[in-house]
Structures are given as C-alpha cells and as structure tokens.
Amino acid sequence: MQPSEDLSLHTDEPDAPRGELAALTEAECWELLGSTAVGRVVVVEGQHAEILPVNYVVADGAVVFRTGSAGVLGRGATWGREAAFEADSIDVAARHGWSVVVRGELREAGTEAERALGDVVHPWAAGEKPVVATVRARSVSGRRLG
C-alpha cells in the first residue's frame, strides 16, 4: 500500500488539541440519525462481513431503506439475522464529529407504516430497489468527539 500523497487532511500533529469523547443518550442518537441521510448496513454472509452504504429514514425504533432484490440485503438470505447500522458526521479540520450504531434484526418491512416509509426513501443508485428493509433496533449507542 502506498501512502497518500495528499497529506492535507493528515491530523496527527502532536500539539493539536484533542477533544473529549462523550457517550450519547439514546434520544441524542435517534436525533442525530434523523439529521443525516446516508449510513452503512453491516451483515455477515458466510465467512465475510458485508458493509453496504444506504440512504435511509428513521421511524419508530428502526432504520428503513430500499434495496435491490438480488443483492445481499434484498434477496432474503440475511432476513432475520443480526445486523448493525452506522451513521456518522465527521469534521476532519475541526477534529469533531459523532457516530451512532444501531444493532438489531435485518428484515423486510412488515408493518404498514414501514412499507409506507419505503415511498419516502428514494435510492441514489440507479436500478430497481423494490425491497423495503429495516434494521429494527435492539440497541442504539453513540459517541461524540469535541
């Protein structure tokens, strides 16, 4: 691996101020998740972890997103499995940001409300995304830096 030639974002200056890391409350986590539109879904398929970016909405203790029917998240092989969802916001120059992780079950949207939310999520990637999926939270945690 070659080191990056662009070191403009390199922030390992020994004298740079360091921020405090603080745990977020569950309410703060949900508020921050609602403030952004892109995150990553993590599932294990076979021997490998799959990490897939999705655009999403949050509702009633779940992350709701659309996906294709042929992919890892939409073909049903991972339904009912434990999944994680992570979203964050990072300001590299100011050295602050936050990260929130939702852990729960990956499943196809089953309730009327979750299916209706599928109409609100408009996928950014081209192609058909007919499957409305959710990660229903068993736990949510987060941290803020700065």
Side-chain angles (χ1 to χ4, degrees), residues 103-129:
R103 291 175 183 83
E105 181 181 334
L106 176 67
R107 62 184 188 193
E108 189 168 13
T111 68
E112 195 62 38
E114 288 170 341
R115 282 194 298 273
L117 279 171
D119 293 335
V120 176
V121 181
H122 303 285
W124 295 1
E128 293 295 314
K129 310 289 188 231

Side-chain angles (χ1 to χ4, degrees), residues 43-107:
V43 294
V44 175
E45 184 174 47
Q47 299 294 316
H48 304 285
E50 298 287 341
I51 304 170
L52 303 157
V54 297
N55 56 303
Y56 70 97
V57 296
V58 294
D60 193 31
V63 175
V64 183
F65 59 94
R66 289 181 131 336
T67 188
S69 57
V72 170
L73 299 175
R75 67 176 176 256
T78 53
W79 295 141
R81 291 191 188 175
E82 188 69 16
F85 175 85
E86 190 269 345
D88 56 36
S89 178
I90 308 295
D91 183 332
V92 174
R95 299 181 94 179
H96 66 79
W98 57 265
S99 174
V100 172
V101 175
V102 175
R103 291 175 183 83
E105 181 181 334
L106 176 67
R107 62 184 188 193

Side-chain angles (χ1 to χ4, degrees), residues 23-48:
L24 297 168
T25 67
E26 185 172 341
E28 289 171 320
C29 288
W30 286 113
E31 182 178 338
L32 290 169
L33 283 173
S35 73
T36 188
V38 177
R40 289 153 294 283
V41 177
V42 182
V43 294
V44 175
E45 184 174 47
Q47 299 294 316
H48 304 285

Side-chain angles (χ1 to χ4, degrees), residues 8-27:
S8 62
L9 295 179
H10 192 47
T11 58
D12 287 338
E13 300 170 27
D15 296 331
R18 299 171 111 199
E20 293 295 320
L21 198 58
L24 297 168
T25 67
E26 185 172 341

